[in-house]
Amino acid sequence: MARAATTADAFNAVAEPRRRQILDALAGGERPVNDLVRILGVGQPQVSKHLRVLREVDAVVVRDEGRQRLYRLNGRALRPIYDWVKTYERSWSERFDQLDVVLDELKQEEEGDGSDE
Amino acid sequence: MARAATTADAFNAVAEPRRRQILDALAGGERPVNDLVRILGVGQPQVSKHLRVLREVDAVVVRDEGRQRLYRLNGRALRPIYDWVKTYERSWSERFDQLDVVLDELKQEEEGDGSDE
DNA sequence: GAAACATATACCTATATAGGAATATGTCAA
DNA sequence: TTGACATATTCCTATATAGGTATATGTTTC
């Protein structure tokens, strides 16, 4: 089997740095494809292809305006990533190092379940 | 060119659901490989290979103990992901949900006006 | 209609998997 | 040493890119 499709979910879609660059550029507001081509400094077909991937995971929305196509960010598509990764925040937050021990203990009590198996 | 290596950075490493599962399992504490094999329900070589990827991006740390190898989570490796995605949080926060509705309405008016798909 | 412009798609190639099977490496026990 | 156990690595294959180039589609202007 090969790796999952980039369009499988937001995690796969944003694994590509250029696609994160595109989203960052769109954070400033709606933009036509050519703007992104200039900002990224890569070919137009490449940008269009990245935009297609982002569209398939709903990370961007497109709107026609004359001969241009204006792309807009849809940050909500990134929420699963945020939700998943934020639970790990305490891992590096010095402040919570002490709290971790307590929380782990409470969690084990609540679950009332042997931790092994 | 092919896609970037899964070991290129944390973004690529956690794009694979099984690797996120492994990290989630390790969030509960240090575990030997066999535990993860049971939890994930996949073959042992597969788990070892996923662990190798996670090790290369420093998302896990390994420690020898007898014939077992105990893996431990290193959440700090996920910080770049958190830092990147958290800037998009306001996209879906309550306050901006209202704005989204307005924008969507404006968009529909424009699109539904005069032209059919 | 023709030309210019904006964007999307098709086709190509090199490459990096993810999983499965078989095997290698390392450790403990008798 | 031999055997059982725990884990890592190797080899294999099918598949999904990402970028480059050429081309198709759609829009505006003349």
Side-chain angles (χ1 to χ4, degrees), chain B residues 41-97:
Chain B
V42 300
Q44 173 268 311
Q46 278 66 47
V47 172
S48 279
K49 278 184 279 189
H50 282 311
L51 284 169
R52 182 176 166 80
V53 171
L54 292 172
R55 233 166 39 213
E56 293 204 37
V57 299
D58 282 321
V60 298
V61 177
V62 69
R63 175 170 77 86
D64 284 19
E65 173 141 319
R67 42 187 158 180
Q68 299 193 335
R69 306 201 78 193
L70 300 180
Y71 279 85
R72 185 164 61 80
L73 173 71
N74 178 32
R76 256 169 297 194
L78 305 179
R79 182 160 192 177
I81 301 174
Y82 177 80
D83 286 342
W84 178 77
V85 82
K86 81 164 178 288
T87 68
Y88 293 95
E89 188 193 358
R90 54 195 193 96
S91 303
W92 62 75
S93 74
E94 293 280 336
R95 212 155 56 87
F96 282 82
D97 270 358

Side-chain angles (χ1 to χ4, degrees), chain B residues 107-116:
Chain B
K107 182 187 151 203
Q108 302 234 340
E109 277 173 27
E110 275 169 21
E111 280 178 347
D113 201 28
S115 71
D116 34 65

Side-chain angles (χ1 to χ4, degrees), chain A residues 1-3 32-34 44-45 48-49 52 67-69 71:
Chain A
M1 225 184 235
R3 224 193 296 190
V33 178
N34 255 347
Q44 173 268 311
S48 279
K49 277 184 281 188
R52 181 176 167 80
R67 43 186 158 182
Q68 299 193 332
R69 306 201 78 194
Y71 280 86

